[in-house]
Every structure is written in C-alpha cells, then in structure tokens.
Amino acid sequence: QGQLVESGGGSVQAGGSLRLACVFSKYTYIGDYLAWFRQAPGKQREGVAAIASYDLSTRYADDVKGRFSISRDDANHTLSLVMNNLKPDDTATYYCAAGQKFACWGLQSDQCDYWGQGTQVTVSS
C-alpha cells in the first residue's frame, strides 16, 4: 500500500554502524505508534524498538539497548533507527511498522497495522 517505505540497509562489519529510515504516509493516518521489527532467516519476527507520537516514549528489545536508538520526525514523516556496535546476530531483514494499538508500541507484531517492505542488514564478523 506504500504507507511505509524503508531505506538504509546494507552490509557492515561487526562493530560498525548503520542508519535505517522509514518514510511514512502524510495522507493516511497510521496511528500513534511506530516501531522497527526484524526477521532473520529461519526465525520469527521480533521487535526491536518503538516510539510513541504523543510523548516520544521509547521501548527497546533487551539485546539492542544501549546500541540502537529510535527517533521520529513527524514534520518530515520519517522514522529512524541508528544502529551502533552492530553484531552478526543483528543480521536480518528490518521492517518499519505502525499502528494505533498500544501493543504495537509493546512490540507485538500482530498488533501493528501497517508494514514496510523491509530492508536487509548484514553484519559480518
């Protein structure tokens, strides 16, 4: 549907950094909650980070705390994820998601309503 479009994936060595961006539609109301999820081959999709529009409160998965930072720029309709000190276990397809349910902010993927197409992140050792 094109409400969310990711960019910024790529290949990097362990310890390196990447910045992902997600442009969200200014014509469709996609909810107050934006989040990043990821899915590695053979694994279930898992939540990475989320942010609310009304107070910019954030939530992070335990294994990315202190390394990843989520932010949003509503004026430019952009969600960002800065990833530092990347590890090979961070290799996955990363998805931008949005929704109105608080559980989407809670990183429950089935509670988010809108999804991007995904962008690949590969971290080599």
Side-chain angles (χ1 to χ4, degrees):
Q1 296 174 336
Q3 279 85 0
L4 302 172
V5 180
E6 302 101 332
S7 63
S11 297
V12 65
Q13 289 191 325
S17 299
L18 283 173
R19 183 187 183 103
L20 305 183
C22 172
V23 177
F24 52 93
S25 174
K26 58 182 177 181
Y27 302 111
T28 302
Y29 176 66
I30 58 172
D32 289 327
Y33 307 108
L34 290 171
W36 289 98
F37 290 81
R38 66 186 181 187
Q39 188 167 18
K43 294 186 177 181
Q44 288 190 328
R45 188 170 297 186
E46 62 179 3
V48 175
I51 187 167
S53 65
Y54 46 84
D55 63 0
L56 301 183
S57 56
T58 57
R59 180 187 179 106
Y60 294 93
D62 288 342
D63 58 349
V64 305
K65 284 180 182 177
R67 300 190 297 123
F68 290 11
S69 178
I70 188 172
S71 62
R72 61 188 292 165
D73 178 353
D74 288 338
N76 292 300
H77 304 276
T78 302
L79 174 73
S80 298
L81 183 71
V82 175
M83 305 183 294
N84 296 318
N85 191 22
L86 282 161
K87 304 175 181 180
D89 284 348
D90 295 319
T91 296
T93 299
Y94 284 70
Y95 297 90
C96 174
Q100 185 55 33
K101 299 183 183 72
F102 184 73
C104 181
W105 183 90
L107 298 178
Q108 295 182 40
S109 61
D110 61 347
Q111 300 299 306
C112 298
D113 303 308
Y114 298 94
W115 291 86
Q117 81 286 354
T119 186
Q120 178 67 35
V121 171
T122 302
V123 184
S124 58
S125 56

